[in-house]
Amino acid sequence: MKTDAKHLQQLKNREVHYKRNLWSGILFGLGFVAFIDETIFHQLLHWHKFYDKSTVAVGLVSDGLFHAFSWFATVGALYLVADLRRLNALWHKVWWGGKLIGGGVFQLYDGTIQHKVMRIHQIRYDVDIVPYDVVWNVTAVIMIIIGILLIRNAKQNQRTVKGTVLHGSS
């Protein structure tokens, strides 16, 4: 039953490194959604800059800092993933759940705090902004909910599989 022992060790490693799986997913989700936002809405469509309350030059600098943040978060998350793989502890469902939560939280924070409370930029200007805000924020909430459900499902599967392996190897 060497396979069961190896599988049981992987299940144990996942439990030990659960938080690292979750946080690397969250960090990757933050960086990934920030990268998508920066690339599509800032650079390709030119709908807004990260900071629109000043000159274009200041807006470009703010976009550069925002883009750097997204890359540091993404690369940092991938280092954590590489370490989890080395430890045979990468838990894909938890990581994807964290990724969706991180991306959704970033998007919801952007859509509510930065767009509405701080008013440092909007998705678009000179149009009816309500449909854009609804799509932006509803998508964020859906991502968060799916992320939470994935993590809950991963934990249930872990308990079931662990019980099956333990029962099957005795």
Side-chain angles (χ1 to χ4, degrees):
M1 295 291 159
K2 187 175 181 178
T3 305
D4 284 343
K6 186 177 178 181
H7 192 193
L8 197 56
Q9 183 61 47
Q10 182 186 36
L11 296 175
K12 185 177 176 182
N13 291 348
R14 286 177 173 180
E15 286 179 358
V16 168
H17 299 287
Y18 166 76
K19 285 184 179 178
R20 189 179 295 191
N21 273 282
L22 180 63
W23 281 106
S24 68
I26 289 172
L27 192 60
F28 188 85
L30 285 168
F32 182 75
V33 171
F35 173 79
I36 296 295
D37 179 25
E38 169 68 22
T39 301
I40 293 175
F41 300 110
H42 297 219
Q43 295 176 1
L44 296 177
L45 297 175
H46 296 236
W47 282 1
H48 63 267
K49 302 278 183 242
F50 182 75
Y51 187 73
D52 279 337
K53 293 183 126 186
S54 186
T55 64
V56 173
V58 170
L60 287 172
V61 169
S62 70
D63 277 353
L65 294 172
F66 181 56
H67 208 54
F69 159 78
S70 73
W71 273 110
F72 285 129
T74 305
V75 170
L78 292 177
Y79 272 108
L80 290 172
V81 168
D83 191 45
L84 288 167
R85 287 182 56 93
R86 182 184 62 79
L87 296 168
N88 193 24
L90 182 58
W91 196 349
H92 290 279
K93 266 191 181 177
V94 171
W95 191 82
W96 273 92
K99 179 183 172 185
L100 288 169
I101 290 171
V105 166
F106 169 82
Q107 195 164 319
L108 191 58
Y109 168 78
D110 185 44
T112 54
I113 304 299
Q114 292 182 344
H115 293 179
K116 300 305 171 198
V117 175
M118 296 169 66
R119 297 187 175 275
I120 61 173
H121 66 258
Q122 293 294 323
I123 296 174
R124 289 191 76 179
Y125 295 97
D126 303 323
V127 297
D128 180 13
I129 195 70
V130 173
Y132 292 94
D133 285 341
V134 169
V135 169
W136 192 257
N137 292 324
V138 168
T139 303
V141 170
I142 290 171
M143 288 170 61
I144 293 168
I145 290 170
I146 292 173
I148 290 169
L149 292 175
L150 264 178
I151 290 169
R152 285 181 59 195
N153 183 269
K155 287 180 173 180
Q156 288 172 340
N157 286 349
Q158 177 88 346
R159 282 192 294 270
T160 302
V161 170
K162 192 172 179 180
T164 302
V165 171
L166 284 173
H167 181 70
S169 62
S170 60

